[in-house]
Amino acid sequence: MSNTITKEVASGSGVSSRNITRAAVIGSGVMGSGIAAHLANAGIPCLLLDIVPNDLTVEEEKAGLTLDHPKVRNRLAAKAIAALPKSSTAPLYSADFVSRITAGNTEDHLNQLKDVDWIIEVVTERLEIKKSIFKQIESVRKQGTIVSTNTSGISVNAMVEDCSEEFRSHFLGTHFFNPPRHMKLLEIIPGFDTDPDITKFMVEFCTKRLGKGVVLAKDTPNFISNRIGTYGLLVTLQEMVKNSYTVEEVDAATGPVLGRPKSATFRTLDLVGIDTFVHVARNVYDSVPDGAEKDVFTVPEVMNELVTRGWTGEKGGQGFYKKVKGEQGSKILSLNLSTMEYNPSAKVSAASIEAAKAVKGARRKIKAFLGTEDRYSELAWNVLKQVLVYAADKLGEIADSIQDIDNAMKWGFNWELGPFETWDLIGLPESVQRMEAEGLTVPAWVKDWIAAGHKSFYEQKDGEAFHYFKGEYRGIEAQPEQISLQTLKSQNRIIRSNTGANLIDLGDGVACLEFISPNNAIGADILVMIQQSVEEVRANYRGLVLANEGRNFCVGANLMLMLMEAQSGDWDEVDDIIRLFQGSMTKLKGLEKPVVAAPHRMTLGGGVEACLPADRIIFSAETYFGLVETGVGLIPAGGGCKELALMTSNRHPGADIDLQPEMNRIFEMVAMAKTSTSGHEAVRMYGRGGDTVVMNQDYRIYEAKQAVLELDRAGYVPPQPGKARVVGRDGSAVMQLGAIDMKRSGYISDHDLLIAKKLAHILAGGDVPAGTVVSEQHLLDLEREAFLSLLGEVKTQQRMQHMLAKGKPLRN
């Protein structure tokens, strides 16, 4: 094999100016309506069609409707649309986005398909039905319109074999994962006749506009993620039966300790639906020739029995686990596969598991777990080695790129590392030697690769990344919109650093402040770095980005530190910390260069207060943003209350404008610790002009950098220290009255009321007449006084202890 290094062209390059401005989805089931919802999230108006019902419902009969009435004929799609804002999976970023979806049916509205740019078929997984639908689509579709199928396993080519060449050239598979909003993976499956430019366009469009992680799969049973994931689950079951492991033991050995989700094996099956899993497994079984692979995809009898009994997992009320309510609350039972009876779920502990728990990060956990020999690490190894070999064996059949296979497993099954990344981690030559010694047949190409002197599938060289591709290292050319802080750090681009944060050079005169503390919680180290970053950027840079690549942007301030200081009675130290927090945020806001924050996922408490001083916030679409301090018995004291009072005053500058309605809304939002369910909702809740949302989380740092450069080019003028017109003591009384009513109604406790009164006092500007104009420092002083007072309360300290121990709020 060659050692030649070639460059990989970034996906989507050279794509024409084609665009998708309107779409249609055919099939309004869970997946169809979910896809329509996500198109709406992306601002794409969507027509949702389904079949015409054959019967009237009781409600329709009572209303005197007939089968010819439009409400009846559109019922299936209309019902699905109406359910979207109420769904527990929250398919919409904002409930009002539902207005972007229009209901119809495939008899009356099929002709409207000529007006859309993308048609997505999401009907029953039966080949003949799909072929019939595509013939109908072809009869009305205008030439050039892209058509795709959301099949999870039926042959893409077989569906359209009877369609015209022009139709086939614009047809491909687009396999969304459920739920479409939340699952990053999108497998794109070109057909034999798909125009390569159409494939390139769809990769780029779905990545940028829909925010998806796109991989290119081949037209094989279950494509990439489900093919390998199903194989892994089935070999896990085989190992379990062979060596008499329990459900809990398997999950303990195949979850976070192996770089997998907490749902591990059996909780995942319960969530997916055991019947769904059986269908997927049978799809491969029916499609592969006789042999070892077919044997693996033979559905275990126990799973057939569970489906027969209706024990299909969460949707069936029970599966491998069952939740039951007792006198002392709910408890979890697990299934004994030998007796088919449920027993109390037992906690699993072992040396290997404890070794993994003792270290941070998926890579270190996997190495510690597999490196500690006991029956649990042995189970994991026996499963892992088979999955790695299977993934290698399927390279070229299910996908051409190991990177696509790795990404498919990370984005579709939420693995921390893909199969080939894992193989590199555990040592490629050493692990292959062990596998062969244990009787496993490793694909020849892997052994040839090792024989050529290679020790890994991925390689970093001179700051560039490469991966194995058809016998040589191919350079991975990242899209310019994907800025990796990890890569920049490997290139020695760190400007300043301490234990809590890094200041990194993003290039073009822009610096990025990255939090790196545990859970990115804000402590003194981060606050010091904020102040140092302000000075560095003031002297040497055009602007500053606040962003990081942690699981969450920031879960708030360091709660443990505050609690320890309070319990030791060191109030001067607490006061100093609050002053440092407030002072750091004030310096950040006063920086003479533009500051742009790019939060993602959980951005709570102090994380919000770190974003509010920024000139602009670029929210990831999946951002859960909120001042939640009341949940631990406190109030925002890092400038959060102050910023909300300023924003309210600035939005209503006229002295004759009543601020009370808006302040009441702000008060309720903070008092009830409300958190946005998306970046779009965060923009609505906080109402800052200029803040925007980026669909693809991987692009947020790039977009924040561009915003800094835009503000700098426009001749940035920093905000001057502000003053806020406040509602005063009368406004505080109004807010407090609302809290008192909630207390009387039993919605809040006495301690909640105490917190609410202090919050109202701050937001109102203190004991001043309505309409008084106060300084930012005045509001900060009110925050600090209230925070210190509440921190001394026993019930607040109980709430803090409970949050630290249980991870959820205590109502006391």
Side-chain angles (χ1 to χ4, degrees):
M1 289 193 177
S2 169
N3 286 320
T4 305
I5 293 176
T6 61
K7 280 287 183 183
E8 182 175 343
V9 178
S11 52
S13 61
V15 176
S16 69
S17 58
R18 174 188 287 272
N19 194 17
I20 292 172
T21 59
R22 182 172 170 78
V25 175
I26 302 178
S28 66
V30 172
M31 279 304 297
S33 61
I35 292 170
H38 197 60
L39 292 170
N41 287 335
I44 302 169
C46 183
L47 178 65
L48 182 62
L49 304 182
D50 212 316
I51 60 173
V52 175
N54 294 321
D55 302 298
L56 294 172
T57 64
V58 173
E59 292 77 10
E60 288 166 346
E61 288 180 347
K62 287 181 178 178
L65 303 180
T66 68
L67 288 172
D68 294 329
H69 196 283
K71 283 187 176 180
V72 176
R73 296 178 70 80
N74 297 341
R75 183 215 304 154
L76 296 179
K79 186 177 179 181
I81 293 169
L84 289 172
K86 307 168 190 174
S87 172
S88 60
T89 60
L92 295 163
Y93 288 146
S94 180
D96 58 358
F97 288 178
V98 75
S99 63
R100 298 171 179 170
I101 310 173
T102 303
N105 67 74
T106 52
E107 292 183 17
D108 302 327
H109 305 109
L110 200 68
N111 195 51
Q112 292 184 22
L113 297 183
K114 71 179 187 302
D115 300 321
V116 306
D117 307 301
W118 181 16
I119 303 166
I120 309 171
E121 169 274 313
V122 200
V123 303
T124 304
E125 286 285 86
R126 288 172 55 188
L127 179 59
E128 291 309 313
I129 292 177
K130 289 180 181 288
K131 292 179 75 169
S132 172
I133 286 289
F134 289 124
K135 291 304 291 182
Q136 293 180 58
I137 291 172
E138 186 169 27
S139 70
V140 296
R141 158 193 172 274
K142 68 174 182 289
Q143 285 202 357
T145 299
I146 295 170
V147 184
S148 70
T149 173
N150 186 62
T151 183
S152 59
I154 296 178
S155 170
V156 168
N157 289 291
M159 292 180 198
V160 292
E161 59 187 3
D162 299 328
C163 295
S164 69
E165 182 178 345
E166 192 279 334
F167 186 98
R168 296 196 308 274
S169 71
H170 290 79
F171 179 78
L172 69 172
T174 49
H175 181 211
F176 289 83
F177 275 60
N178 190 35
R181 166 188 166 177
H182 297 283
M183 293 300 291
K184 183 173 181 176
L185 179 62
L186 173 61
E187 294 175 322
I188 286 184
I189 309 99
F192 295 141
D193 301 314
T194 307
D195 183 337
D197 284 342
I198 296 296
T199 302
K200 287 182 181 179
F201 166 76
M202 289 298 288
V203 168
E204 182 175 291
F205 179 85
C206 293
T207 301
K208 293 184 176 180
R209 190 70 184 275
L210 301 187
K212 291 298 170 190
V214 178
V215 300
L216 286 177
K218 296 195 174 184
D219 189 15
T220 55
N222 293 355
F223 311 126
I224 303 173
S225 187
N226 279 341
R227 181 74 169 267
I228 293 175
T230 304
Y231 179 91
L233 289 166
L234 286 167
V235 296
T236 301
L237 272 166
Q238 291 176 357
E239 286 296 321
M240 174 190 186
V241 172
K242 186 165 127 184
N243 293 296
S244 302
Y245 290 95
T246 66
V247 165
E248 302 98 305
E249 287 178 320
V250 170
D251 276 355
T254 58
V257 296
L258 203 57
R260 310 287 169 79
K262 289 181 180 179
S263 56
T265 297
F266 292 111
R267 180 67 181 135
T268 295
L269 286 167
D270 278 354
L271 289 169
V272 168
I274 296 167
D275 54 339
T276 301
F277 176 81
V278 167
H279 170 76
V280 171
R282 284 177 179 161
N283 189 50
V284 180
Y285 178 86
D286 292 339
S287 304
V288 298
D290 289 335
E293 186 176 13
K294 198 176 191 75
D295 290 342
V296 171
F297 282 95
T298 303
V299 177
E301 193 50 46
V302 67
M303 300 194 80
N304 289 324
E305 176 64 20
L306 288 171
V307 173
T308 300
R309 295 188 183 201
W311 297 1
T312 53
E314 194 167 87
K315 63 185 176 183
Q318 62 194 90
F320 290 102
Y321 291 100
K322 180 180 181 181
K323 187 176 183 179
V324 296
K325 292 183 178 179
E327 294 180 0
Q328 298 180 339
S330 297
K331 60 180 179 179
I332 304 296
L333 306 179
S334 62
L335 184 65
N336 183 317
L337 300 191
S338 299
T339 65
M340 296 300 285
E341 294 178 350
Y342 288 94
N343 303 309
S345 186
K347 184 178 175 62
V348 178
S349 181
S352 61
I353 293 170
E354 296 308 313
K357 288 181 178 178
V359 295
K360 300 290 185 183
R363 292 177 177 274
R364 295 177 66 195
K365 284 183 181 295
I366 294 169
K367 293 198 80 168
F369 177 56
L370 294 176
T372 307
E373 294 185 11
D374 59 24
R375 69 189 303 265
Y376 299 107
S377 60
E378 181 184 10
L379 165 65
W381 166 252
N382 286 337
V383 170
L384 180 63
K385 68 182 181 182
Q386 294 182 75
V387 172
L388 299 184
V389 167
Y390 186 73
D393 190 53
K394 294 299 148 188
L395 181 65
E397 179 183 333
I398 62 176
D400 285 329
S401 163
I402 65 166
Q403 191 178 29
D404 276 342
I405 292 176
D406 278 347
N407 285 337
M409 300 316 299
K410 291 189 290 186
W411 298 336
F413 274 69
N414 294 316
W415 291 8
E416 293 281 351
L417 301 174
F420 297 97
E421 291 171 325
T422 302
W423 216 334
D424 281 356
L425 176 70
I426 64 176
L428 177 58
E430 302 88 343
S431 61
V432 166
Q433 187 175 15
R434 180 180 173 185
M435 290 171 184
E436 291 193 311
E438 294 173 355
L440 221 56
T441 301
V442 177
W445 75 262
V446 176
K447 293 192 288 184
D448 290 344
W449 183 245
I450 295 171
H454 302 295
K455 296 183 178 181
S456 64
F457 295 113
Y458 292 89
E459 182 176 82
Q460 290 280 340
K461 187 175 182 180
D462 299 327
E464 294 188 66
F466 302 87
H467 70 88
Y468 170 91
F469 188 82
K470 296 184 177 179
E472 61 186 22
Y473 272 126
R474 170 178 284 194
I476 303 171
E477 186 175 336
Q479 295 181 1
E481 296 92 346
Q482 293 183 340
I483 294 177
S484 166
L485 298 182
Q486 192 62 41
T487 299
L488 292 176
K489 286 187 286 188
S490 72
Q491 297 170 351
N492 299 315
R493 301 278 285 274
I494 294 178
I495 305 163
R496 290 175 176 264
S497 181
N498 67 16
T499 56
N502 294 315
L503 185 65
I504 302 169
D505 185 354
L506 295 182
D508 300 315
V510 181
C512 177
L513 180 60
E514 174 199 35
F515 298 167
I516 56 171
S517 63
N519 296 316
N520 288 338
I522 297 177
D525 47 5
I526 287 179
L527 297 173
V528 168
M529 183 55 70
I530 288 174
Q531 299 209 20
Q532 292 178 351
S533 298
V534 167
E535 297 305 320
E536 183 72 39
V537 171
R538 176 180 287 129
N540 300 309
Y541 289 85
R542 297 170 68 181
L544 178 66
V545 168
L546 302 179
N548 62 69
E549 294 172 332
R551 182 173 181 81
N552 298 297
F553 177 79
C554 177
V555 297
N558 189 327
L559 205 59
M560 176 65 79
L561 174 63
M562 290 293 184
L563 180 60
M564 289 172 61
E565 298 290 0
Q567 289 178 333
S568 66
D570 197 344
W571 296 107
D572 288 341
E573 181 67 23
V574 176
D575 186 66
D576 287 344
I577 293 172
I578 300 305
R579 288 179 186 274
L580 177 61
F581 202 133
Q582 293 181 341
S584 300
M585 297 306 117
T586 299
K587 285 192 174 184
L588 191 61
K589 185 175 182 180
L591 177 60
E592 297 87 348
K593 307 289 179 71
V595 178
V596 177
H600 66 284
R601 295 187 63 81
M602 287 174 61
T603 305
L604 307 176
V608 172
E609 291 178 302
C611 291
L612 291 179
D615 299 289
R616 192 174 295 175
I617 302 177
I618 308 292
F619 291 97
S620 165
E622 296 296 344
T623 306
Y624 320 123
F625 195 83
L627 293 165
V628 297
E629 286 86 347
T630 59
V632 290
L634 297 167
I635 53 91
C641 295
K642 177 260 293 185
E643 286 297 318
L644 292 176
L646 278 171
M647 284 190 288
T648 302
S649 176
N650 292 338
R651 279 200 297 267
H652 307 287
D656 58 339
I657 298 176
D658 184 9
L659 300 179
Q660 194 68 53
E662 175 66 5
M663 192 51 70
N664 290 346
R665 184 188 73 82
I666 294 291
F667 169 71
E668 180 184 357
M669 182 176 78
V670 180
M672 301 302 290
K674 290 185 177 179
T675 302
S676 73
T677 59
S678 69
H680 292 276
E681 192 178 18
V683 170
R684 180 183 58 78
M685 287 170 63
Y686 285 81
R688 292 165 35 107
D691 292 346
T692 56
V693 179
V694 60
M695 285 291 286
N696 192 318
Q697 181 171 299
D698 296 338
Y699 291 0
R700 61 198 158 76
I701 298 176
Y702 170 85
E703 293 295 345
K705 176 184 173 182
Q706 297 309 306
V708 165
L709 294 173
E710 175 193 333
L711 289 167
D712 177 65
R713 284 192 295 267
Y716 177 74
V717 177
Q720 298 303 305
K723 292 185 178 294
R725 182 168 63 92
V726 295
V727 295
R729 65 177 72 94
D730 292 341
S732 176
V734 171
M735 289 184 274
Q736 291 186 39
L737 185 60
I740 291 168
D741 285 343
M742 292 186 72
K743 169 65 178 61
R744 287 172 178 165
S745 301
Y747 289 112
I748 64 174
S749 68
D750 287 332
H751 195 52
D752 291 325
L753 181 58
L754 172 65
I755 300 164
K757 286 180 176 180
K758 291 185 179 293
L759 176 63
H761 181 71
I762 301 165
L763 292 174
D767 190 16
V768 297
T772 298
V773 176
V774 301
S775 68
E776 291 192 38
Q777 189 59 53
H778 173 79
L779 292 167
L780 290 173
D781 290 342
L782 292 176
E783 284 186 359
R784 194 176 63 259
E785 291 165 7
F787 187 93
L788 288 166
S789 170
L790 287 168
L791 188 58
E793 294 282 340
V794 172
K795 288 188 176 180
T796 287
Q797 294 180 19
Q798 289 172 344
R799 288 190 179 192
M800 295 170 75
Q801 287 175 321
H802 191 271
M803 178 61 75
L804 288 167
K806 305 289 186 181
K808 55 186 178 181
L810 170 69
R811 296 299 304 275
N812 60 350

